Amino acid sequence: GAGVSQSPSNKVTEKGKDVELRCDPISGHTALYWYRQRLGQGLEFLIYFQGNSAPDKSGLPSDRFSAERTGESVSTLTIQRTQQEDSAVYLCASSYRTSRNNEQFFGPGTRLTVL
Amino acid sequence: GDSVTQMEGPVTLSEEAFLTINCTYTATGYPSLFWYVQYPGEGLQLLLKATKADDKGSNKGFEATYRKETTSFHLEKGSVQVSDSAVYFCALSPPGGGADGLTFGKGTHLIIQP
């Protein structure tokens, strides 16, 4: 079956512009996660959704970042007034539920470059 | 907070060599432990996992044993192949479940030369 998909695969934007990143999880997966991977760094957890709700948004780097999920499917991560330090690969993952034993399936990521 | 430390790369080996990639963690309680692999141009894939102390995860010839006493989860393979060239990430999931996401190490770039 189809895996997690993300779009766009690459995004180049100018400093100060807004960007929207999209994630389509595996059908039936109720949990969805966003991570950020800066060059040479590990993955940094940003936010997770259980269904449509995000119980904890404290992992988002700043108030310029927001995320939403509709219909227990598609999620969008929006970055307003982008800065150069936002340049990274943004990864989305989904899992069947938020059990510690459940595997998270990752998408290919969106590489964001802020000029 | 939770953290994962893994050896810095790149690690360069010849084909058929023995591989060890070290991973140690800091966490409260008994987390689940994972190794993920990222092949060139592809997304992260789960390689293996272990959910309790002394469990051994294994897949594709790779193994890792959950060592509570040393808080380690070292990845090993007896004979590596060129196709094993990838970036390997050690990660943990806290005892409470996935609500906090996975905590990842910085990744180890493995290069296997023919």
Side-chain angles (χ1 to χ4, degrees), chain B residues 4-65:
Chain B
V4 174
T5 303
Q6 59 183 108
M7 58 195 298
E8 298 283 333
V11 173
T12 303
L13 296 172
S14 297
E15 206 165 19
E16 299 183 2
F18 184 86
L19 168 71
T20 300
I21 300 178
N22 290 336
C23 171
T24 57
Y25 68 91
T26 301
T28 304
Y30 290 84
S32 291
L33 301 174
F34 306 85
W35 277 100
Y36 277 82
V37 59
Q38 188 172 32
Y39 297 104
E42 299 184 16
L44 279 168
Q45 303 172 26
L46 180 66
L47 180 60
L48 53 85
K49 68 179 181 182
T51 58
K52 60 182 187 294
D54 299 325
D55 265 3
K56 177 184 285 188
S58 60
N59 186 25
K60 298 182 180 180
F62 291 89
E63 292 183 341
T65 301

Side-chain angles (χ1 to χ4, degrees), chain A residues 33 35 37 40-45 48 56 91 98-108, chain B residues 30-32 34 36 43-44 46 49 51 89 93-95 97-102 104-106:
Chain A
Y33 305 81
Y35 295 85
Q37 184 179 20
Q41 301 295 313
L43 277 73
E44 174 189 6
F45 170 68
Y48 108 99
D56 183 2
L91 291 164
T98 57
S99 163
R100 67 199 289 265
N101 296 328
N102 279 329
E103 176 182 354
Q104 291 185 22
F105 292 82
F106 283 81
Chain B
Y30 290 84
S32 291
F34 306 85
Y36 277 82
L44 279 168
L46 180 66
K49 68 179 181 182
T51 58
F89 293 90
S93 176
D100 294 328
L102 295 172
F104 283 85
K106 291 186 177 182

Side-chain angles (χ1 to χ4, degrees), chain B residues 45-111:
Chain B
Q45 303 172 26
L46 180 66
L47 180 60
L48 53 85
K49 68 179 181 182
T51 58
K52 60 182 187 294
D54 299 325
D55 265 3
K56 177 184 285 188
S58 60
N59 186 25
K60 298 182 180 180
F62 291 89
E63 292 183 341
T65 301
Y66 189 139
R67 301 288 189 198
K68 180 64 176 176
E69 63 276 13
T70 54
T71 61
S72 65
F73 193 54
H74 305 321
L75 183 68
E76 297 182 336
K77 186 174 185 181
S79 177
V80 293
Q81 306 299 313
V82 172
S83 58
D84 294 327
S85 298
V87 181
Y88 292 81
F89 293 90
C90 185
L92 69 81
S93 176
D100 294 328
L102 295 172
T103 298
F104 283 85
K106 291 186 177 182
T108 302
H109 187 192
L110 176 64
I111 301 169

Side-chain angles (χ1 to χ4, degrees), chain A residues 52-84:
Chain A
N52 295 340
S53 66
D56 183 2
K57 301 181 180 180
S58 63
L60 294 174
S62 76
D63 58 8
R64 296 185 293 105
F65 286 71
S66 62
E68 64 177 25
R69 187 181 186 194
T70 55
E72 291 199 353
S73 56
V74 173
S75 175
T76 55
L77 177 69
T78 301
I79 309 173
Q80 295 178 310
R81 305 180 302 282
T82 53
Q83 303 294 313
Q84 289 183 333

